[in-house]
Amino acid sequence: MQSRPSLQSRQANKANNVVEKNGRMIDYHELMKLLSTPRPAGSRAAESVREGLLACCKRHHIPHKLHSFRLYPYFFVAIGLWLVFSRLLLAAAVWLRWGWAVLAIALIGLVGGLVDYIFDIPLVSWIGAKQSQNILIEIEPAQAHRARQEIVISAHYDSKTELLDHHQ
């Protein structure tokens, strides 16, 4: 028979981010170290964090699913550059009095950004696009037939870029 840890042992574990759950010790320090890794969206570091989270789910027998999606990590940079360059070209066309070409440049500049941003068609932001995955974890209540409401908790792990935003 396994004995309960002493009060001192439990306090030491709490200080080290180790929690006892159903008789098992879970080390959250390793998980926090993993989640504190700077990881811009689409980077190798983000993939490494996803792999670490999947390993943690498997190690603790947490049922999970993967959801694939198309990731555009340079979306905002591409749209910003498109707007700057199309507006500079428009200004140059007006300055040089290119006539009807000014209207074409204005419309192409406007349509390029709108199609990409509003209609979600990657006309400008396709550069660097790649497949990525979300981790979905569903926890069913013990008495699912009696549950009258559903609670959805959402978090993202794909883009932590601040070096000092997780204080201990």
Side-chain angles (χ1 to χ4, degrees):
M1 185 170 151
Q2 199 174 5
S3 64
R4 254 185 95 81
S6 68
L7 178 61
Q8 286 179 328
S9 171
R10 287 194 309 256
Q11 287 174 340
N13 285 338
K14 186 176 181 182
N16 292 323
N17 291 321
V18 177
V19 177
E20 181 181 350
K21 186 173 184 178
N22 299 330
R24 292 186 313 172
M25 301 303 275
I26 300 174
D27 181 6
Y28 286 101
H29 181 71
E30 178 187 348
L31 186 60
M32 287 308 297
K33 184 177 177 185
L34 178 70
L35 291 174
S36 296
T37 305
R39 54 189 181 279
S43 68
R44 177 64 191 128
E47 292 174 13
S48 176
V49 168
R50 182 183 64 242
E51 291 166 5
L53 289 172
L54 288 171
C56 183
C57 287
K58 289 177 184 172
R59 195 169 41 252
H60 295 290
H61 308 289
I62 299 171
H64 59 279
K65 299 175 188 173
L66 293 176
H67 168 257
S68 293
F69 66 98
R70 193 87 174 140
L71 176 66
Y72 299 95
Y74 305 111
F75 176 82
F76 292 109
V77 172
I79 292 292
L81 289 174
W82 174 263
L83 290 174
V84 167
F85 287 126
S86 67
R87 298 305 104 184
L88 285 174
L89 183 60
L90 178 62
V94 169
W95 183 264
L96 297 173
R97 300 179 186 190
W98 287 358
W100 286 100
V102 172
L103 178 62
I105 292 169
L107 290 176
I108 290 170
L110 181 65
V111 169
L114 285 178
V115 166
D116 212 315
Y117 186 73
I118 304 280
F119 300 111
D120 201 22
I121 299 172
L123 186 65
V124 176
S125 64
W126 58 269
I127 298 169
K130 59 175 156 180
Q131 286 298 114
S132 190
Q133 294 177 321
N134 286 325
I135 302 171
L136 305 175
I137 299 173
E138 295 181 56
I139 301 173
E140 296 290 331
Q143 298 176 340
H145 64 282
R146 295 181 65 185
R148 288 190 253 165
Q149 62 185 5
E150 183 176 310
I151 298 173
V152 177
I153 299 172
S154 176
H156 68 91
Y157 66 88
D158 70 335
S159 57
K160 179 193 170 303
T161 55
E162 303 296 322
L163 292 176
L164 302 173
D165 66 350
H166 290 342
H167 300 287
Q168 291 187 354

